[in-house]
């Protein structure tokens, strides 16, 4: 028997064929000609009746389709219309079921769209051109939506038929050889044929969908580009009009004040009223951009730039903001001990290349699909997704722009110093823009030293002080007069399409000369396109850099990337305020390129209720000055994991480091050399060794706790500090946990001894972790 053409999902297609319809108990099933078209199923006695007599019609939008046995099925609309139908074979029955399900889904969508369109009554008719374009777009979108729904219906049918085929195959395997073998084989063949027909229907729907998408993609791109260009032109025009309006209002107020006698209270009140009205109008305009940015900056009045100005509220340091270099920068540039002068003549020539990354292909989704919702640190990840440095080394990369803290230490003003500290916090993210690789999780007790004392005036030490939860303590001290310490615990969740990394803990920076103590936290890092597409990194969230001595604060906002925003990507904005909330500096830029800061001369803000409550603060600022700029990546960085110049040197072998240093980690070294298979095997060995040591440590702690001795009087790793031992029952070697170190939160503080042990080459206290 020839197979009729399988139904397709194109609008308006019909499906015709002979079926047997139950009439009554006397005549039984009678052969009738059925036609399926536009969501309606009609039948005739013969094909000749199609032109003049229809015996019955049922609307599939409200109908139920049920299967009784291999050849019979029932269609009912819940009322008086019920068709008991029988096909000549099971394959023919399934062809009809497929066509009916597709037609029903399409009829339901058309009915829903008709109801929605009847409820929409636009208040103003669109322009002729715009209405035609919108109508065309809406029509195309409806067609594409119909195709998507058809694909979904076909997918459900394929799943249903696939299950039936699997059952038949299972039955075939379980039967004994005999007379029923041929029947079972025939049934499996029919089901396989049915599955092929349904698959062909889905393939045809995919082909139609692809053809439509290709036909309209170029037109949509041109239309979208034209709309974007028009929007940009309008916004630029509005911005120019706003600036002109602002200058005209200020010029008018200045002329009014100069012409009016200062002793006339009536004139003063009028001038004040005019100023208030103009401020309202100015804020009303900028309120339209409220969703675009946090605040608005406009050029300050030219009178602020005149030398010898006696305007109140401007300190003597304003002169250095007028496009000139500050005294702090001049003294830093001329200081022979500055980090710039030392970097010109490095004591040791550091390496500038590492072996190129091998071109290994591995599907991340194949590994991550079973790990949704788990902690990233608990997922057994191969080194294929790593980069050849550990999290301790990645943490030490925060010091790449340590010269910002050197410049901050030279500042006389705590507010200007806060600007440099804020720039330092932002600069730590600049190395992550292309770094989609995952650092090695440090082993418990692993350390990393970064000695740049002779080159840049600082040296730092990191230690993994806890494994569950993973926590690393970091301490850096500089001869330039600052100390940096932090303890970071990383909480990470795999969300299916993206990976969120939430650093917990705080960072502290103390300046020796001024005794200013700053603290801040890190923002959330998100890795997008985990399932499909190219991986990319985004930073989003807010940071408050606080000076605990003076109460000054810098509020930074990392704007998340949005495809529909016309702002630059990776944008960061910030405002530096004193303890009274008065703004002094405005920061702007991107976390992957540069940051600028401008001194605030005057600010105005809306009210707290009514329409003015939605207005944003407008800052009048002096000319912006560059605060920080990212160093260019070394040549060939794309083949070296996009490492910066500092990152390339972090895993460089050095003599005299501790046995627990990350440079000595064998799996990390093997990966850097391109031996990934050997690195994976070594990584599994180290992780199993760490688990074994942890189990032994827990058994020892349980044994000591069960004895009658007082734990407080013990010596060794479970002695007086037993209460401070973290979940791992491990006591850090170079750091000690202080419940209250002056900032009201527990933190591991460097207790000393590492650099002395390095000078004496005495590492007897270091555990064997590698």
């Amino acid at each position: 028997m020839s197979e009729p053409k399988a139904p397709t999902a194109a609008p308006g297609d019909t499906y015709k064929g002979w079926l047997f319809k139950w009439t009554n108990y006397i005549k039984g099933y009678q052969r009738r000609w059925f036609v399926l078209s536009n969501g309606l199923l009609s039948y005739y006695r013969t094909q000749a009746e199609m032109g003049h007599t229809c015996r019955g019609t049922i609307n599939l939008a409200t109908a139920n389709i049920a299967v009784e046995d291999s050849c019979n099925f029932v269609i009912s609309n819940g009322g008086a219309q019920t068709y008991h139908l029988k096909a000549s074979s099971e394959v023919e029955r399934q062809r009809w079921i497929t066509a009916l399900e597709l037609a029903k889904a399409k009829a339901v969508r058309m009915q829903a769209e008709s109801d929605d369109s009847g409820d929409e009554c636009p208040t103003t008719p669109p322009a002729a051109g715009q209405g035609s374009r919108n109508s065309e777009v809406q029509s195309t979108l409806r067609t594409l939506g119909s195709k998507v729904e058809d694909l979904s219906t076909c997918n459900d049918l394929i799943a249903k038929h696939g299950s039936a085929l699997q059952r038949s195959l299972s039955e075939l395997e379980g039967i004994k050889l005999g007379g029923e073998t041929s029947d079972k084989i025939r049934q499996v063949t029919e089901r396989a044929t049915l599955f092929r027909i349904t698959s062909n229907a889905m393939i045809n729907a995919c082909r139609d969908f692809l053809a439509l998408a290709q036909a309209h993609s170029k037109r949509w791109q041109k239309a979208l580009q034209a709309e974007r260009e028009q929007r940009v032109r309008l916004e630029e025009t509005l911005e120019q009009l706003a600036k002109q309006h602002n200058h005209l209002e200020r010029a008018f107020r200045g002329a009014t004040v100069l012409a009016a006698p200062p002793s006339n209270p009536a004139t003063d009140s009028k001038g004040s009223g005019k100023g208030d009205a103009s401020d309202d109008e100015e804020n009303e305009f900028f309120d339209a951009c409220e969703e675009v940015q946090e605040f608005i900056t406009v050029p300050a009045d030219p009178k602020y730039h005149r030398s010898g100005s006696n305007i109140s509220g401007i300190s003597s340091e304003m002169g250095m903001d007028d496009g000139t270099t500050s005294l702090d920068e001049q003294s830093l540039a001329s200081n022979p001990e500055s980090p710039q002068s030392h970097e010109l003549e490095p004591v040791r020539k550091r390496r500038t290349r590492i072996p190129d990354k091998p071109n290994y292909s591995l599907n991340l989704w194949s590994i991550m699909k079973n790990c949704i919702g788990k902690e990233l640190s608990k997922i057994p990840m191969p080194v294929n997704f790593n980069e050849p440095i550990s999290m301790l080394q990645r943490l030490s990369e925060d010091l790449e722009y340590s010269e910002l803290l050197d410049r901050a230490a030279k500042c006389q003003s705590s507010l200007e110093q806060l600007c440099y500290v804020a720039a330092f916090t932002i600069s730590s993210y600049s190395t992550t823009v292309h770094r989609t690789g995952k650092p090695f999780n440090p082993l418990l007790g692993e350390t990393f030293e970064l000695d740049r004392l002779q080159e840049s005036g600082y040296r730092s030490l990191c230690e993994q002080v806890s494994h569950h939860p993973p926590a690393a303590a970091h301490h850096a001290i500089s001869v330039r007069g600052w100390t940096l310490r932090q303890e970071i615990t990383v909480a990470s969740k795999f969300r299916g399409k993206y990976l969120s990394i939430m650093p917990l803990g705080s960072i502290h920076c103390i300046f020796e000369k001024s005794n200013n103590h700053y603290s801040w936290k890190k923002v959330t890092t998100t890795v997008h396109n985990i399932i499909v597409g190219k991986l990319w990194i985004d930073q989003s969230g807010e940071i408050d850099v606080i000076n605990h001595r003076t109460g000054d604060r810098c509020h930074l906002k990392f704007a998340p990337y949005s495809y529909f925003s016309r702002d630059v990507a990776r944008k960061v904005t910030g405002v530096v305020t004193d303890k009274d909330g008065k703004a002094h500096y405005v920061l702007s830029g991107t976390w992957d390129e540069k940051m600028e800061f401008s001194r605030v001369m005057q600010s105005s803000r809306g009210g707290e209720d009514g329409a003015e409550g939605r207005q944003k603060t407008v800052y009048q600022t002096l000319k912006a000055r560059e605060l920080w700029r990212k160093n260019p990546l070394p040549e060939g960085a794309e083949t070296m994991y996009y490492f910066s110049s500092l990152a390339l040197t972090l895993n460089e072998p050095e003599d005299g480091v501790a046995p627990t240093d990350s440079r000595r980690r064998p799996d990390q070294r093997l990966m850097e050399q391109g031996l990934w298979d050997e690195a994976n095997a070594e990584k599994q060995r180290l992780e199993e060794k760490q688990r074994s040591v942890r189990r032994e440590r827990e058994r020892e702690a349980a044994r000591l706790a069960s004895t009658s001795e007082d734990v407080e009087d013990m010596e060794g790793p479970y002695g007086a500090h037993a209460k401070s031992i973290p979940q791992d029952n491990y006591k850090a070697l170079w750091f000690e946990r202080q419940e209250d170190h002056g900032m009201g939160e527990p933190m591991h503080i460097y207790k000393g001894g590492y650099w002395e042990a390095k000078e004496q080459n005495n590492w007897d206290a270091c555990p064997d972790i590698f």
Side-chain angles (χ1 to χ4, degrees):
M1 181 180 63
S2 61
E3 298 177 358
K5 181 182 178 181
T8 63
D13 279 8
T14 59
Y15 190 78
K16 306 174 184 179
W18 291 102
L19 289 172
F20 292 91
K21 179 181 179 297
W22 175 265
T23 56
N24 51 52
Y25 286 99
I26 298 176
K27 296 183 178 180
Y29 283 97
Q30 296 295 318
R31 193 166 179 257
R32 296 290 184 262
W33 180 256
F34 280 82
V35 177
L36 174 60
S37 178
N38 295 327
L40 300 176
L41 179 65
S42 306
Y43 75 94
Y44 310 86
R45 286 186 178 180
T46 62
Q47 299 183 39
E49 284 188 350
M50 290 179 59
H52 53 85
T53 303
C54 178
R55 300 295 176 175
T57 301
I58 189 169
N59 188 356
L60 294 179
T62 58
N64 295 323
I65 304 173
V67 178
E68 292 186 339
D69 55 26
S70 60
C71 295
N72 292 14
F73 59 100
V74 179
I75 302 176
S76 174
N77 62 0
Q81 289 181 299
T82 300
Y83 295 167
H84 293 266
L85 305 177
K86 182 169 67 173
S88 59
S89 66
E90 183 178 357
V91 174
E92 185 67 20
R93 193 267 331 249
Q94 292 296 343
R95 290 174 181 168
W96 274 103
I97 292 295
T98 301
L100 291 170
E101 291 285 358
L102 288 173
K104 178 182 177 181
K106 188 183 302 181
V108 171
R109 288 196 307 272
M110 293 177 62
Q111 184 177 6
E113 292 174 359
S114 177
D115 295 341
D116 294 340
S117 62
D119 295 338
E120 297 177 358
C121 297
T123 56
T124 58
Q130 181 181 0
S132 176
R133 184 164 57 251
N134 290 339
S135 175
E136 180 183 359
V137 171
Q138 292 298 328
S139 175
T140 305
L141 288 177
R142 284 195 298 269
T143 304
L144 293 178
S146 174
K147 294 298 178 184
V148 172
E149 293 294 339
D150 290 344
L151 291 176
S152 177
T153 305
C154 288
N155 181 65
D156 296 337
L157 291 174
I158 287 178
K160 184 189 301 183
H161 300 332
S163 300
L165 180 61
Q166 186 63 40
R167 287 195 301 271
S168 298
L169 292 174
S170 300
E171 294 174 0
L172 181 62
E173 294 176 356
I175 64 175
K176 299 180 180 179
L177 294 177
E180 62 182 278
T181 303
S182 60
D183 295 334
K184 289 295 183 180
I185 292 177
R186 181 176 53 81
Q187 183 181 4
V188 171
T189 304
E190 291 179 351
R191 291 185 183 276
T193 303
L194 167 65
F195 194 84
R196 177 179 57 82
I197 293 172
T198 308
S199 300
N200 289 337
M202 187 171 186
I203 291 173
N204 291 334
C206 292
R207 186 182 296 111
D208 295 339
F209 182 89
L210 180 60
L212 278 173
Q214 290 176 344
H216 291 85
S217 61
K218 294 183 179 179
R219 186 182 306 173
W220 290 344
Q221 290 175 0
K222 292 181 180 179
L224 181 60
Q225 184 63 26
E227 293 290 344
R228 285 179 175 174
E229 293 175 355
Q230 184 178 4
R231 175 186 173 186
V232 170
R233 286 195 298 268
L234 288 175
E235 289 174 344
E236 290 175 352
T237 303
L238 289 175
E239 185 177 358
Q240 292 176 0
L241 290 175
K243 291 180 179 180
Q244 294 176 6
H245 175 77
N246 179 47
H247 291 310
L248 289 174
E249 287 288 349
R250 297 193 180 283
F252 178 80
R253 288 203 302 270
T256 304
V257 172
L258 291 176
S263 59
N264 189 346
T267 305
D268 293 342
S269 62
K270 290 180 180 179
S272 175
K274 182 63 179 176
D276 294 340
S278 64
D279 287 342
D280 291 342
E281 293 173 3
E282 185 175 311
N283 287 334
E284 282 181 9
F285 170 78
F286 287 115
D287 186 54
C289 302
E290 185 169 1
E291 296 180 357
V292 178
Q293 56 192 80
E294 288 287 303
F295 51 83
I296 298 167
T297 59
V298 297
D301 195 285
K303 64 185 178 180
Y304 291 121
H305 297 273
R306 293 195 296 265
S307 59
S309 174
N310 57 358
I311 299 175
S312 62
I314 304 177
S315 64
S316 59
E317 66 180 353
M318 193 214 78
M320 68 184 180
D321 286 312
D322 193 11
T324 60
T325 306
S326 66
L327 295 177
D328 298 332
E329 296 179 24
Q330 293 176 354
S331 60
L332 182 61
S334 61
N335 187 354
E337 296 183 357
S338 64
Q340 289 87 343
S341 60
H342 278 282
E343 291 176 358
L344 294 177
E345 298 178 3
V347 176
R348 173 181 174 180
K349 183 175 178 59
R350 306 284 178 176
R351 68 180 182 180
T352 59
R353 288 200 61 85
I354 61 174
D356 291 346
K357 177 182 179 181
N359 188 17
Y360 290 162
S361 61
L362 188 63
N363 186 6
L364 178 62
W365 176 244
S366 65
I367 296 176
M368 301 287 282
K369 63 183 179 181
N370 297 323
C371 304
I372 296 178
K374 295 182 179 179
E375 285 284 348
L376 184 63
S377 60
K378 297 181 181 181
I379 299 176
M381 298 288 290
V383 300
N384 304 56
F385 300 117
N386 286 23
E387 55 183 15
I389 61 173
S390 71
M391 182 61 74
L392 301 181
Q393 293 166 316
R394 189 76 172 259
L395 200 62
S396 301
E397 278 192 75
D398 289 355
L399 298 171
E400 179 165 1
Y401 298 95
S402 61
E403 65 268 15
L404 290 171
L405 297 181
D406 295 339
R407 297 167 69 181
K410 297 283 185 177
C411 290
Q412 302 296 327
S413 167
S414 62
L415 292 169
E416 187 177 1
Q417 185 180 72
L418 182 53
C419 293
Y420 285 105
V421 175
F424 175 78
T425 69
I426 299 169
S427 68
S428 63
Y429 299 99
S430 62
T431 61
T432 66
V433 61
H434 300 297
R435 301 269 290 278
T436 57
K438 171 183 173 292
F440 278 79
N441 290 331
L443 302 174
L444 188 61
E446 185 174 337
T447 61
F448 177 73
E449 69 165 67
L450 184 62
D451 191 348
R452 296 293 189 270
L453 193 62
Q454 296 181 343
E455 301 169 65
S456 301
Y458 71 86
R459 59 185 181 183
S460 75
L461 175 67
C462 290
E463 181 180 359
Q464 187 76 0
V465 296
S466 173
H467 189 65
H468 289 295
H474 181 208
H475 181 270
I477 187 170
S478 172
V479 297
R480 311 285 190 247
W482 54 266
T483 301
L484 183 76
R485 60 171 177 255
Q486 57 181 322
E487 181 178 350
I488 299 298
T489 300
V490 177
S492 52
K493 290 290 184 180
F494 177 55
R495 307 294 184 180
K497 293 183 179 180
Y498 62 92
L499 179 69
S500 296
I501 303 172
M502 295 79 68
L504 307 176
S506 57
I507 308 171
H508 299 264
C509 185
I510 302 99
F511 291 94
E512 179 181 352
K513 181 179 179 181
S514 60
N515 202 28
N516 287 330
H517 186 157
Y518 299 90
S519 71
W520 65 92
K521 299 180 182 294
K522 289 181 174 289
V523 295
T524 300
T525 301
T526 306
V527 185
H528 293 272
N529 289 347
I530 294 295
I531 299 179
V532 64
K534 183 178 180 181
L535 295 177
W536 60 279
I537 302 288
D538 193 23
Q539 313 286 349
S540 60
E542 299 182 1
I543 295 178
D544 282 320
V545 185
I546 304 173
N547 186 339
H548 296 277
R549 188 183 71 83
T550 63
D552 302 336
R553 180 187 299 264
C554 178
H555 180 74
L556 298 171
K557 181 176 181 179
F558 290 66
Y561 175 78
S562 174
Y563 178 79
F564 301 99
S565 175
R566 71 182 184 94
D567 283 341
V568 295
R570 309 176 187 93
K571 182 178 181 181
V572 182
T573 56
V575 180
V576 175
T577 58
D578 57 21
K579 63 179 181 180
D580 298 324
K582 180 181 178 182
H584 291 265
Y585 290 96
V586 170
L587 283 70
S588 62
T590 59
W591 53 264
D592 69 320
E593 189 62 34
K594 67 175 182 178
M595 290 297 297
E596 296 178 339
F597 73 131
S598 307
R599 182 166 178 80
V600 176
M601 292 293 99
Q602 188 175 347
S603 63
S604 60
R605 66 181 63 195
E608 297 180 356
D609 54 7
E612 295 181 353
R614 295 191 297 270
Q615 296 173 355
K616 297 184 299 298
T617 303
V618 179
Y619 295 115
Q620 299 179 35
T621 61
L622 296 179
K623 182 179 179 181
R625 290 193 296 139
E626 186 172 279
L627 193 60
W628 159 78
R629 179 178 291 273
K630 178 185 176 182
N631 297 327
L633 291 176
E635 184 179 357
E638 62 277 2
T639 64
M640 299 184 295
Y641 309 89
Y642 287 98
F643 278 179
S644 64
S645 298
L646 175 63
L648 289 174
T649 66
L650 294 180
N651 205 43
E652 184 176 8
E654 289 190 18
D655 296 331
V657 298
T660 56
D661 196 272
S662 299
R663 300 175 180 88
R664 300 182 181 272
R665 183 165 175 167
D667 54 348
Q668 186 173 298
R669 181 67 59 191
L670 288 170
M671 183 198 172
E672 181 185 282
Q673 296 171 357
L675 305 175
W676 285 13
D677 293 337
E678 294 83 349
N680 277 317
E682 191 66 21
K683 181 173 181 289
Q684 294 180 4
R685 182 190 68 81
L686 292 176
E687 291 173 349
E688 180 57 36
K689 180 180 180 180
Q690 180 175 237
R691 285 189 287 267
S692 177
V693 171
R694 181 184 180 187
R695 288 191 295 266
E696 180 63 27
R697 189 167 55 248
E698 290 175 347
R699 285 194 294 266
E700 181 68 13
R703 185 187 65 81
L704 292 175
S706 63
T707 60
S708 59
E709 297 178 9
D710 187 3
V711 178
E712 295 292 337
D713 296 333
M714 294 181 186
E715 297 180 356
Y718 307 103
H721 298 286
K723 293 183 179 180
S724 65
I725 297 176
Q727 180 180 345
D728 298 289
N729 295 319
Y730 172 80
K731 182 183 177 184
L733 184 59
W734 309 111
F735 291 79
E736 61 181 358
R737 185 177 177 86
Q738 297 183 7
E739 295 298 329
D740 186 3
H741 63 287
M743 299 306 298
E745 60 179 354
M747 187 176 183
H748 278 85
I749 306 297
Y750 176 63
K751 63 181 181 181
Y754 178 87
W755 303 107
E756 292 76 7
K758 182 180 180 180
E759 291 179 0
Q760 301 171 7
N761 195 24
N762 182 10
W763 304 112
D764 295 340
C766 294
D768 179 19
I769 61 175
F770 299 145

